[in-house]
Amino acid sequence: MTTGATIAILVALAVVFLGVVVAVRLVGRGPHSGGRGLRRRFGPEYDAAVARHDGDEKAAAKDLKERLRRHEDVRIAPLTAQSRELYVARWTGLQEQFVDAPARAVGEAELLLGRLARERGFPADTWDELQDSLTVHHPHTAHGFREIHLAAARSRAEQVPTEQLREALVRARGLFEDLVREHPQDHRPHRHARHGGPRPAEPTARGTGGAIPQHAREGGRAARKEGL
């Protein structure tokens, strides 16, 4: 075999080897892969999943991949302008109510978040299913729903320090703002329009990316003075 032929064979083998290495790395970076891919996809929810599985990253990765499989294709439904205004006004009212009745305000905030999530199209046959679907689409704020759920349940069983309830409400507000924020699809015909208008929704909200009525903005300023 000539020197040229030997060199050609070695170059071909090197190209094949390089192709295999690149392919393996690309697969490892996919959104459904473990490790870095899942950590980037889920952010703080990745760490929360690892903690719930007592540090077992393989078990956490399996859990997160299953969530993606079940909920990644959830179609987020638009909100009408009227529905958004109602939610915004109701959330502002809950923040004001917190001053005199913190436990009641937290319980109603949990219910309001659930209604808003269902209206946006998230599956809600069980609380766990709703929470899992929220972590897929809102991984940086979904913990707020978990925390206000726990705070509301605890406040029904015992007296909870007001500061802990306030912190739960503040964290839940991040998810609320994500859910109520205006999105491009909100300008399309509403999925309930053919049935005579949107479902009645119990509003809730504060500052978001969508339009907020003047009375809600004024209520939000008062609530912020109270630290909410």
Side-chain angles (χ1 to χ4, degrees), residues 42-225:
F42 281 93
E45 271 302 315
Y46 179 87
D47 295 328
V50 172
R52 282 194 295 276
H53 287 280
D54 299 321
D56 188 338
E57 293 195 29
K58 289 185 178 180
K62 182 179 179 181
D63 177 8
L64 295 174
K65 288 177 183 178
E66 177 62 18
R67 290 190 214 175
L68 283 170
R69 185 189 67 79
R70 296 198 318 269
H71 303 297
E72 190 173 27
D73 294 331
V74 168
R75 297 184 63 182
I76 308 303
L79 288 177
T80 64
Q82 177 186 16
S83 185
R84 179 176 291 105
E85 286 192 5
L86 290 175
Y87 278 111
V88 168
R90 181 61 180 280
W91 188 268
T92 299
L94 287 174
Q95 291 183 140
E96 295 169 349
Q97 176 185 332
F98 183 89
V99 176
D100 297 319
R104 180 177 177 183
V106 164
E108 292 188 5
E110 181 199 6
L111 294 176
L112 192 59
L113 270 176
R115 293 189 188 102
L116 174 57
R118 287 193 294 273
E119 185 167 345
R120 296 243 68 168
F122 288 94
D125 290 341
T126 66
W127 186 89
D128 287 336
E129 180 183 39
L130 176 56
Q131 176 65 32
D132 283 353
S133 63
L134 287 171
T135 63
V136 170
H137 294 272
H138 299 284
H140 293 276
T141 55
H143 66 280
F145 190 49
R146 183 185 299 114
E147 291 188 30
I148 203 166
H149 172 73
L150 294 174
R154 184 182 167 196
S155 68
R156 288 191 290 269
E158 62 186 36
Q159 186 169 358
V160 180
T162 300
E163 179 59 20
Q164 292 182 18
L165 295 175
R166 187 191 70 81
E167 290 176 358
L169 187 60
V170 168
R171 290 177 182 132
R173 187 177 67 196
L175 175 62
F176 171 80
E177 291 179 344
D178 274 356
L179 289 172
V180 84
R181 182 176 291 116
E182 187 173 7
H183 297 280
Q185 64 265 34
D186 293 354
H187 297 288
R188 302 169 189 164
H190 197 276
R191 65 174 181 169
H192 301 296
R194 67 183 64 178
H195 299 293
R199 287 180 296 184
E202 295 197 29
T204 209
R206 221 192 108 258
T208 70
I212 300 176
Q214 180 65 29
H215 72 277
R217 288 197 295 271
E218 292 173 353
R221 293 190 192 104
R224 283 194 290 277
K225 290 180 181 178

Side-chain angles (χ1 to χ4, degrees), residues 15-25:
V15 169
V16 171
F17 176 76
L18 180 61
V20 171
V21 170
V22 170
V24 169
R25 287 184 177 179

